[in-house]
Amino acid sequence: MTTTPAAAVRAALPRLLTTLAPYQAAVVRIGTAGTWGAYLLREWGNRRVLYGDRSPWSAELNDRLLADTHAFTALSWSDGRWWFEAVYLLALLSAGAVALGWRTRASTVLFALTVLSLQNRNVFLGDGGDNLVHLMAIYLVFTRCGAVWSLDARRRARRPGRDPAEWGEPRALADALAAMLHNCAMLVIAVQVVLVYATAGWYKVQGARWQDGTAVFYPLKLEYFTPWPELSGLLGGSLLVTFALTYGTVAMQVGFPFSLAARRLKNVLLAVMVVEHLAIALLLGLPFFSLAMVSADAVFLPTAFLLAVQGRAAGWWAARRAARPTGEAVGEPAGAVAGEPAGGSGGSDG
């Protein structure tokens, strides 16, 4: 029996109007906000030199650049120190709120605005991971990234609202449209990650050092990228190791988009790439770049794996509470621990 396109669309519509991949969205939310917040904390002592009134890239020079790029930054509204301090502190607070999932609908908007404000104040900073944080911050605004594993989910579990079936038509329609917008944003995140790996891989293929298998050798010999000189020297001293790492990196990046057609192969490559990013963080001293990449990669994590992690965490928490002396534990709904959304297709994020 032949299925017409119209029939296929009608069959898929209920799924499209349901919030998909809420756990993956939560991991992307936590990872992206946590990475940016950790970076801002690390650079607290240097903040005025990087983005503020002491920056070599002055406000006047930045204003000339903004006139050409039309990029947004709230720091262009005033070049005063206290305005900058307020924006920087707001960026830290919004990153914490997004990571915890507190009022995510509003906090993701504030998070995106503060990320853009700081990064567009000095576009010459960063190691590549900042570009990914920049994009993820915008995409998260359109997702229901607080549906699970958030303070919002905990609050909804304690005070569940009305069942969506009881909502009036306007609110039910708005909920369905919000779910569809979330699904589209998650698709955009997935496509963005694929484009990052595809472009990186194919550009590497064209490079002479990647073709002869020596590209990984050179950063291992640069002092700036060797926080552990002994370890870098050990790896860089083996021709076979550098050859394998060089060709392996190219093969994984070029092959990852094609692996999406084979779920098991995709999961294996995803695990290897996460290990690779952690190795980059350790060997090359690029922790925030690696964390940003791992956070974006999380969009492809299997739901079964994330549910297993949730089950382990819930079991550990229940065992810990059971071990407390009688009378210390305060009862909580199971959904608050598990982080399940209350009712409907994902509920409200704030």
Side-chain angles (χ1 to χ4, degrees), residues 198-282:
T199 54
W202 286 108
Y203 271 110
K204 286 181 174 67
V205 167
Q206 302 173 52
R209 294 293 175 263
W210 291 97
Q211 291 175 8
D212 62 25
T214 62
V216 171
F217 169 81
Y218 296 99
L220 292 175
K221 296 299 181 180
L222 295 175
E223 183 179 355
Y224 182 80
F225 291 112
T226 53
W228 310 97
E230 295 81 6
L231 184 56
S232 298
L234 181 64
L235 292 176
S238 171
L239 179 61
L240 180 61
V241 170
T242 55
F243 184 86
L245 290 176
T246 301
Y247 271 80
T249 299
V250 174
M252 285 188 297
Q253 292 184 346
V254 172
F256 181 72
F258 301 101
S259 73
L260 298 179
R263 181 170 55 88
R264 291 185 179 179
L265 178 59
K266 181 265 294 182
N267 292 340
V268 171
L269 275 183
L270 188 61
V272 173
M273 289 165 69
V274 169
V275 172
E276 179 191 33
H277 290 311
L278 296 179
I280 290 173
L282 177 66

Side-chain angles (χ1 to χ4, degrees), residues 188-199:
V188 170
I189 292 175
V191 171
Q192 182 69 63
V193 174
V194 169
L195 288 175
V196 167
Y197 284 122
T199 54

